[in-house]
Amino acid sequence: DVSVQQFEEISLFLGVGGLILYMMFVMYKLAEESGAGRFGTLMIFLSLGLGIVGFAAKSVIQLVMEV
């Protein structure tokens, strides 16, 4: 049996993971449709990707500090 807490953890992991993948797809389409080129695509992924890195870093910091 899966407890409510386990279900919530799995759902959060899959939901956030899915949203992150969708966000990367949107960034790719944005770069492609705008004709950004290599440098522009790099800047799009770096600037918008920092939000993803920040979210992941927050989770890691919480695990390390056991909050």
Side-chain angles (χ1 to χ4, degrees), residues 9-61:
E9 288 178 13
I10 292 169
S11 298
L12 179 67
F13 179 76
L14 292 176
V16 170
L19 287 173
I20 288 173
L21 287 174
Y22 180 68
M23 191 168 138
M24 298 210 33
F25 169 74
V26 168
M27 288 189 289
Y28 169 75
K29 290 301 279 182
L30 176 68
E32 182 182 45
E33 290 177 5
S34 68
R38 286 186 185 172
F39 182 72
T41 302
L42 178 66
M43 289 297 109
I44 288 172
F45 274 93
L46 281 178
S47 60
L48 297 177
L50 283 177
I52 298 170
V53 172
F55 182 82
K58 179 188 133 200
S59 300
V60 170
I61 290 169

